């Protein structure tokens, strides 16, 4: 089965840039969704789609020269992200995509709204991350964006993918998409014609189970990591939290000697990721 060490080609152009924040922006644009389709186990109430990998590759290629400029002069991107006071990675991801969408000479979208709240009286019904006009199709699209890291357990069924907080599961997130986040057909007086989940990040397979079949909805175009409760023999360095988007060009930490929960990385012979978890934390509620 495919794994973090499989000798296959991955489209990872973000690794060429030297400035961390530009590497992050390139990752947000170029990386594929972690899912290719809605799992059949999910009861779909409001339908949505995922962009095909080729779309993100095209968006990156159209933006590459701009990224190279930002790599030399990143202040505009630094200033834009400085408005974000939260350190949450999911909000950093959303704001990086916002920066890209505002750079509308490089892609076919016109941003019509961001963080649009839907309110009925004193009740907030929900919020739409992005509403955009696709100038190629003339369709109004609603995008919900999420940066997620899930660890697969047992047979890797939909119900067996857990976040670092075990209340955050892949099934729960997809249910939230279909039941709540994509319930709206209009925003800011625009009729919504298509709905897309932009769901990026990384999935991790159990380190000691190599005979599992991957569900068909997992996107193997994105490098899969491994997770486990054992410390590997090969040297890894621990990533800072912002590096979960993309590791810095040079190692930001020493080779791990003692291990705490978190994401670890080695770039030789090929990039690989290992999410270490203390056994005592796996079943905490």
């Amino acid at each position: 089965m495919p794994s973090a060490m499989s000798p296959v080609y991955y489209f990872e152009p973000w690794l060429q840039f030297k400035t961390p924040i530009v590497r992050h922006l390139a990752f947000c644009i170029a990386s594929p969704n972690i899912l290719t389709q809605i799992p059949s186990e999910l009861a779909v109430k409001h339908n949505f789609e995922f962009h095909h990998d080729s779309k993100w590759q095209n968006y990156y290629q159209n933006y590459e020269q701009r990224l190279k400029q930002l790599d030399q002069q990143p202040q505009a991107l630094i200033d834009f992200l400085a408005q974000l006071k939260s350190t949450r990675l999911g909000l950093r991801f959303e704001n990086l995509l916002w920066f890209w969408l505002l750079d509308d000479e490089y892609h076919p979208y016109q941003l019509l709204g961001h963080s649009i709240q839907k309110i009925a009286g004193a009740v907030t019904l929900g919020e739409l991350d992005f509403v955009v006009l696709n100038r190629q199709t003339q369709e109004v699209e609603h995008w919900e964006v999420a940066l997620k890291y899930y660890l697969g357990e047992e047979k890797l069924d939909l119900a067996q993918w857990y976040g670092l907080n075990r209340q955050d599961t892949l099934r729960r997130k997809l249910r939230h998409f279909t039941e709540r986040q994509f319930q709206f057909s209009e925003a800011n007086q625009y009729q919504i014609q298509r709905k897309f989940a932009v769901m990026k990040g990384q999935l991790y397979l159990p380190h000691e189970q190599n005979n599992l079949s991957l569900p068909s909805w997992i996107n193997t175009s994105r490098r899969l990591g491994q997770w486990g409760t054992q410390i590997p023999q090969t040297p890894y360095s621990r990533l800072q939290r912002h590096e979960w988007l993309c590791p810095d060009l040079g190692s930001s930490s020493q080779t791990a000697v003692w291990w705490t929960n978190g994401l670890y990385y080695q770039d030789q012979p090929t990039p690989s990721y290992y999410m270490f978890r203390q056994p005592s934390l796996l079943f905490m509620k």
Side-chain angles (χ1 to χ4, degrees):
M1 90 182 186
S3 71
M5 300 301 293
S6 296
V8 297
Y9 170 76
Y10 294 99
F11 184 70
E12 299 175 320
W14 49 86
L15 297 175
Q16 70 179 287
F17 300 102
K18 66 179 189 296
T19 308
I21 198 169
V22 178
R23 290 165 71 88
H24 298 170
L25 177 58
F27 167 83
C28 293
I29 300 166
S31 63
N33 287 298
I34 57 177
L35 276 64
T36 58
Q37 62 194 37
I38 299 174
S40 59
E41 305 99 298
L42 184 73
V44 177
K45 185 173 183 180
H46 301 286
N47 195 39
F48 61 95
E49 307 170 63
F50 294 100
H51 295 94
H52 192 273
D53 296 352
S54 61
K55 288 284 188 183
W56 294 114
Q57 292 186 20
N58 288 336
Y59 297 154
Y60 166 79
Q61 288 159 356
N62 292 336
Y63 203 60
E64 186 174 51
Q65 284 305 119
R66 172 65 167 148
L67 287 164
K68 289 179 177 178
Q69 294 170 1
L70 289 167
D71 206 28
Q72 297 297 320
Q73 297 178 312
Q75 197 59 49
L77 180 56
I78 292 170
D79 290 345
F80 187 86
L81 265 291
Q83 303 173 73
L84 178 64
K85 304 307 179 186
S86 172
T87 59
R88 288 175 54 196
L89 279 185
L91 289 177
R92 185 177 182 85
F93 174 67
E94 181 180 330
N95 276 257
L96 286 164
L97 285 175
W98 186 15
F99 180 90
W100 170 69
L101 283 169
L102 289 171
D103 247 349
D104 59 8
E105 64 183 287
Y106 299 96
H107 55 71
Y109 299 106
Q110 176 188 345
L111 182 61
L112 303 177
H114 172 237
S115 296
I116 302 170
Q117 287 195 331
K118 300 289 285 186
I119 299 172
V123 178
T124 299
L125 302 176
E127 183 176 287
L128 294 81
D129 286 342
F130 294 105
V131 174
V132 299
L133 171 66
N134 186 325
R135 292 174 295 197
Q136 292 178 338
T137 64
Q138 293 303 306
E139 292 178 318
V140 173
E141 300 176 0
H142 168 202
W143 292 12
E144 285 296 314
V145 305
L147 183 73
K148 290 295 183 179
Y149 301 84
Y150 289 115
L151 283 58
E153 297 184 7
E154 299 181 36
K155 296 183 179 180
L156 307 181
D157 294 334
L158 179 60
Q160 296 171 329
W161 291 86
Y162 297 89
L164 301 188
N165 172 358
R166 289 181 68 85
Q167 298 300 314
D168 175 21
T169 67
L170 176 57
R171 182 170 64 176
R172 182 175 181 176
K173 182 59 181 175
L174 293 176
R175 279 180 173 173
H176 192 60
F177 274 149
T178 189
E179 293 176 4
R180 290 188 57 83
Q181 291 182 276
F182 285 118
Q183 66 178 298
F184 305 108
S185 59
E186 174 276 336
N188 285 1
Q189 300 184 333
Y190 295 104
Q191 290 300 308
I192 295 167
Q193 290 145 311
R194 296 185 76 176
K195 303 173 183 181
F196 288 93
V198 179
M199 195 173 190
K200 303 194 178 186
Q202 194 164 36
L203 300 178
Y204 299 87
L205 306 176
H207 178 60
E208 295 183 341
Q209 299 182 44
N210 296 315
N211 58 349
L212 295 173
S213 296
L214 292 183
S216 60
W217 40 263
I218 288 182
N219 193 345
T220 55
S221 295
R222 174 74 177 99
R223 189 181 297 276
L224 300 175
Q226 294 185 319
W227 76 270
T229 59
Q230 303 297 317
I231 298 175
Q233 296 298 312
T234 52
Y236 280 77
S237 58
R238 190 174 195 271
L239 295 182
Q240 300 181 61
R241 192 59 186 266
H242 73 269
E243 292 183 276
W244 289 29
L245 280 163
C246 176
D248 291 352
L249 183 59
S251 177
S252 64
S253 67
Q254 298 296 317
T255 299
V257 177
W258 56 277
W259 287 57
T260 58
N261 285 303
L263 183 57
Y264 291 79
Y265 175 73
Q266 64 175 4
D267 60 1
Q268 297 295 330
T270 60
S272 62
Y273 297 82
Y274 184 80
M275 185 73 78
F276 177 71
R277 300 293 286 163
Q278 295 281 356
S280 60
L281 296 178
L282 286 178
F283 299 102
M284 288 183 66
K285 300 297 185 184

